[in-house]
Amino acid sequence: KKNGYEVNVKNMVKHVRDIAGIRIICSFTSDIYLIADMITKQGDLKIISLKDYIKHPKDSGYQSYHMLVSVPVYLSDGVVDTKVEIQIRTIAQDFWASLEHQLYYKSRSAVDADIARELYLCAETIAQTDQKMQELRVFAQEIRLETLKTIGSLGFGHVGGSMSIVDALAVLYGEVMKVDPKNPRWEDRDWCVLSKGHAGPAMYATLGLKGFYPIEQAYTLNQPHTNFPSHTDRTKTPGVDLTTGSLGQGMSTATGAALGNKIDGRDNHVFVFVGDGEADEGQVWEAAQFAAHYKLDNLVCFVDDNKYQLDGACEKVMSHANGIGAKFAAFGWNVVNCEDGNDVEQIYDAIQNAYATKGVPTCIVLNTVKGKGATFADGTGAHSSQPSKEQWDEAIAYAESKLAEIKAQ
């Protein structure tokens, strides 16, 4: 109407670039291309044009993926193909774009050059963060594959509880922890303790990929004269900080390590993994009380809340009333709940929360899937598995294809 056209459907379709707009927000840059591919495959849509501002950002730093599509709209007197713009971004990219929009399009004054520069640098930081999360997803899948190969070399073992903590190990060793593969006993390192020691194969895969030893050495899992027993042993495996196995004890020794490091004035952290079934042990709660009393804010406990233990579902064997997190909170801990404990971004954010919390230890409850990524164990709740050779081959082949898929993203 402003340009002199009569307001009707014909003129709207002819003269308006896009009558409707949709914005899709997702977690990872790789998700953007998956969503775009799904949209492209929709039979009732026609792709008019694509603009990839992720691979080719605007000069301002703006990043997003734009699709102009034609959508059939059914009216009372017929069908009209209507143009719709679809914008696909990550959460971080959308936050940046909203800020840019406020500055450039809502503000009546010119944007200062220094602010424009800061905005551009912010866009670069966001892009780097998204890339780092993608790298952690790749690392997690590499650990999953090597964990399967490690246990598969023996033919049976604790697949379920190993695969459920892979993503947290990827975040710790891929981004968070200070470690030196050439000097595993470096005094200022961060520590990682598997109180649920039966998840050792996941730790061995992680340390091997990190360069503590050739990964192939872990394929001697639990065999005579091996340095890779089914439960982690600091006297045998480079990079293992504390020996564990008897459930509950690793929580106590990790707490002691945290206190010792604090007394020595070290600026490092101790991370400990506790199973949800393991939390039946009273020793876990003695350590929890001790850590809160001594204000061990350098201690972070991951609870692998995969809902199953040796004898079945935790809810049936020994439930935790209002939840494990509520118990830790009652002992005076800072508690962070990861709704998806297999999501590297949620895990990373939870750890940053722990770092920012002073004066109390932190418990991060990981709501995980037991056996995550193992085709024969994923979601079954199995504590230990002894699949056939064919099932092992299928699981490893699937993990390899999944790794290739994530890398391609």
Side-chain angles (χ1 to χ4, degrees), residues 139 172-175 177 179 181 204-213:
F139 188 35
L172 288 177
Y173 285 91
E175 177 66 12
M177 287 177 60
V179 294
Y204 301 151
T206 304
L207 294 174
L209 289 167
K210 193 66 179 177
F212 282 82
Y213 43 76

Side-chain angles (χ1 to χ4, degrees), residues 122-141:
C122 179
E124 283 193 329
T125 301
I126 288 171
Q128 291 168 4
T129 302
D130 284 340
Q131 179 60 30
K132 173 54 67 176
M133 293 301 109
Q134 173 64 6
E135 290 171 1
L136 290 177
R137 292 179 71 201
V138 171
F139 188 35
Q141 188 58 30

Side-chain angles (χ1 to χ4, degrees), residues 11 14 32 59 76 103 115 132 141 146 168 176 191 207 209 214 232 238 247 307 314 325 358 380 387:
N11 283 334
K14 183 177 180 180
I32 293 174
D59 291 340
S76 59
L103 288 172
I115 294 178
K132 173 54 67 176
Q141 188 58 30
E146 289 301 332
V176 173
W191 294 45
L207 294 174
L209 289 167
T232 51
L247 295 177
K307 311 297 186 294
C314 295
K358 304 302 179 184
T380 66

